[in-house]
Amino acid sequence: VLAAVTARARPAPGPASLLTAADPAYPDDTAGATRSAAGSLPRLPYTAVESETVRRFFPAERVTALLRDGATESAVTAAIRGKRYVHLAAHGFA
């Protein structure tokens, strides 16, 4: 996702737009390096409230909110284009 954020084209001037991803549903059978690095990742239920709070500062028609099963890396990568602000509330590891 960091690569997608840094490689995206600069948003056109105009009203602020937001992509928010929160309270992701982590699969129990996470594969490969993710499993060994992170183990079993717990949900982050209060991040949904955080996302809702952030969304209040933007016009509803300019917000893309990805929650639970929709808050995946591929969904974020697909939705990030043209967004001026990106809010990610999830576990992170490298």
Side-chain angles (χ1 to χ4, degrees):
V1 173
L2 179 59
V5 170
T6 57
R8 70 189 167 130
R10 193 164 184 83
S17 57
L18 170 71
L19 168 63
T20 178
D23 191 17
Y26 297 102
D28 291 335
D29 60 343
T30 306
T34 303
R35 173 185 281 155
S36 63
S40 178
L41 296 172
R43 282 191 54 213
L44 300 167
Y46 293 105
T47 61
V49 175
E50 177 182 321
S51 174
E52 184 178 328
T53 301
V54 170
R55 284 182 267 159
R56 290 182 192 151
F57 293 96
F58 296 84
E61 67 277 4
R62 305 284 296 163
V63 172
T64 300
L66 305 174
L67 303 170
R68 295 286 297 138
D69 293 336
T72 64
E73 181 179 350
S74 60
V76 169
T77 301
I80 203 166
R81 184 177 178 89
K83 299 300 186 288
R84 182 166 299 168
Y85 297 96
V86 178
H87 168 258
L88 302 175
H91 290 288
F93 56 93

